[in-house]
Structures are given as C-alpha cells and as structure tokens.
Amino acid sequence: MSDPAKVRRHAERVRELVASVVRSQIKDPRLGMITITDARITADLRDATVFYTVLGDAAAQAGTAAALESAKGMLRSTVGKALGLRHSPTLTFVLDDVQDQVKHIDDLLAQARSADAEVQRIAARAEYAGEAQPYRVDEEEDGDEARDGDEARDEDETPPRGGDPR
C-alpha cells in the first residue's frame, strides 16, 4: 500500500494537471464553462476520480460530459507522463453536484427560519392556560419575615405527625 500523504499529493497533482489540460489543450466546442473541483485516487494509484462542475443547464452538462469522455485518452496519457508512475491511472469523470446540494440546504434553512418565525408569532399571542402564577403564595408573607414550622400553618393543612387526629 502507498503512503496516504503520497496518495493525497498525487490526487492534488491529478486535479491540477486535468484542470490545466482542459483549459489549454482541449478545443472541443461541447466543453462548457468547467471547473475541476477535486480529484481522488485509489491507494494503489491505478484509478483516479475527477470531480467537476459546469456552469449552465443540463444540455451544457451533457455536452461537457461527452467532451471529457472523448478526451479521456489524451488526459490519461498526460497525467501518466507527468506523474511518472509505472501505470497511468484510469480517469473517471463525475459531475460534482455541490451547487444543487447548496441550494437544497439553503431551501431547508429558509423553511426552518419561516417555521421558527411562525412559532415566535404564535408564542407572542399565547396566554397562560390557568393563572400566571400557578403556585400558592401567602399574602401575609413579606420578604423580611421568616416562617417557622407550625406557627404559619393554614387551617386546611394536615396536623403535624404524631398528634391525635381527633
């Protein structure tokens, strides 16, 4: 197995090489506004996956995919010579749908914000189901006086333990 740092370096080099070749050497009219976003290579350095994005609609994406597929041989030989490996890695091109995922996440966040705003609006109009203070508070108790066990008992409380309930 190869060193993970070496694999990362080769993957970065594959990304740079493919981007420069696509920009300078491929003259296919089907090739749209393409950006090479990432490249990953297997640990045995035999297979490389190149991720790309295309500015435009589905027709531009399909045309770019066809142009990359037709230029795959030239790209592979260029990458193989530049990397200096015994075997040139096979290249697989994958459309990177990061923009679609970003749009989907933004839509979900907007829905969550609107739901939160609706909850806040409902909570602002809400009233207590019972009294605002649900716990009994003695009227005669000021903040300064301390309450001593049996002296401050109300009439409807149960008598202290140990006493005769009759």
Side-chain angles (χ1 to χ4, degrees), residues 127-137 139:
E127 295 179 7
Y128 291 105
E131 297 177 20
Q133 174 56 280
Y135 302 105
R136 183 172 23 176
V137 178
E139 309 281 329

Side-chain angles (χ1 to χ4, degrees), residues 19 36 56 82 104 109 121 125-126 140 159:
I36 306 299
H104 179 68
L109 288 173
R121 186 182 62 78
R125 297 185 324 208
E140 57 198 45

Side-chain angles (χ1 to χ4, degrees), residues 10-27 31-39 48-53 64 68 71 74-76 78-79 82 91 93:
H10 280 307
E12 183 65 25
R13 185 72 177 134
V14 167
R15 185 187 67 79
E16 292 170 357
L17 287 167
V18 170
S20 69
V21 169
V22 164
R23 181 178 52 247
S24 63
Q25 294 179 9
I26 298 178
K27 303 298 181 197
L31 195 64
M33 296 286 293
I34 185 172
T35 302
I36 306 299
T37 57
D38 194 16
T49 304
V50 179
F51 295 91
Y52 67 95
T53 60
T64 301
L68 288 173
M74 187 211 17
L75 288 168
R76 182 178 179 195
T78 303
V79 167
L91 299 178
F93 293 97

Side-chain angles (χ1 to χ4, degrees), residues 1-3 7 10 41-48 85 87 89:
M1 286 293 170
S2 294
D3 180 32
V7 172
H10 280 307
I41 195 165
T42 58
D44 62 356
L45 304 176
R46 295 271 185 142
D47 297 311
L85 299 173
H87 301 284

Side-chain angles (χ1 to χ4, degrees), residues 85-159:
L85 299 173
R86 179 177 294 168
H87 301 284
S88 295
T90 59
L91 299 178
T92 305
F93 293 97
V94 176
L95 180 63
D96 196 0
D97 59 350
V98 170
Q99 299 300 334
D100 296 334
Q101 291 177 359
V102 167
K103 183 174 175 4
H104 179 68
I105 290 172
D106 285 342
D107 292 343
L108 291 175
L109 288 173
Q111 288 176 0
R113 275 190 223 104
S114 66
D116 287 347
E118 179 67 18
V119 167
Q120 290 295 329
R121 186 182 62 78
I122 290 171
R125 297 185 324 208
E127 295 179 7
Y128 291 105
E131 297 177 20
Q133 174 56 280
Y135 302 105
R136 183 172 23 176
V137 178
D138 291 338
E139 309 281 329
E140 57 198 45
E141 185 179 298
D142 293 333
D144 301 329
E145 297 178 13
R147 185 174 169 172
D148 290 337
D150 296 334
E151 296 174 3
R153 289 193 181 273
D154 290 341
E155 295 174 4
D156 46 341
E157 287 190 53
T158 59

